[in-house]
Amino acid sequence: QVQLVESGGGLVQPGGSLRLSCAASGFSLDYHAIGWFRQAPGKEREGISCINSSDGRTYYADSVKGRFTISRDNAKRTVYLQMNSLKPEDTAVYYCGADRTRARCSLRGYEYDYWGQGTQVTVSS
């Protein structure tokens, strides 16, 4: 059974850091691109980062470039999102998604087949 489970969210002050984890089961990260998305109340889901399964190349939305870093540990079947210099506008529910058919990732949510339940990130003083 394919499953993605996010963890690591919480409340953090502006300028702080969090590391999110996306633990995968039922499939190998060797063959599936993984993306991180977020959705704030009243806003559409936003693709913020993803990582290719084939070559590990990473991509970022402009809104997080230079502050967030995606990485993966295939042996642990886990993808991480290190978030630094957090801002109040980063407040959202963060989701990871897995693309069943593509090795090259994208920030388009409709290309992803599996999703986790999400983890809340709140940036506030």
Side-chain angles (χ1 to χ4, degrees):
Q1 181 180 358
V2 174
Q3 191 173 17
L4 296 170
V5 179
E6 303 96 336
S7 61
L11 174 64
V12 64
Q13 292 186 343
S17 299
L18 283 174
R19 189 177 80 156
L20 304 184
S21 298
C22 172
S25 60
F27 69 97
S28 171
L29 294 183
D30 293 329
Y31 306 107
H32 299 278
I34 301 293
W36 281 99
F37 296 77
R38 67 186 181 186
Q39 188 165 20
K43 294 188 176 181
E44 294 186 354
R45 181 178 57 193
E46 174 189 17
I48 57 174
S49 184
C50 68
I51 185 166
N52 288 349
S53 62
S54 54
D55 56 11
R57 188 170 180 178
T58 59
Y59 302 86
Y60 299 93
D62 288 343
S63 58
V64 305
K65 197 173 295 182
R67 300 188 298 123
F68 291 9
T69 303
I70 189 171
S71 62
R72 70 183 186 194
D73 184 332
N74 285 9
K76 294 183 178 180
R77 295 190 180 184
T78 301
V79 175
Y80 304 98
L81 185 68
Q82 178 66 43
M83 306 187 297
N84 298 329
S85 302
L86 284 162
K87 307 174 181 180
E89 51 263 42
D90 293 318
T91 296
V93 178
Y94 284 69
Y95 301 89
C96 62
D99 188 326
R100 184 175 56 184
T101 59
R102 298 176 181 85
R104 181 173 179 177
C105 71
S106 81
L107 298 182
R108 295 181 290 271
Y110 62 81
E111 294 188 4
Y112 289 76
D113 305 290
Y114 306 113
W115 294 92
Q117 82 290 348
T119 185
Q120 176 71 46
V121 172
T122 302
V123 184
S124 174
S125 56

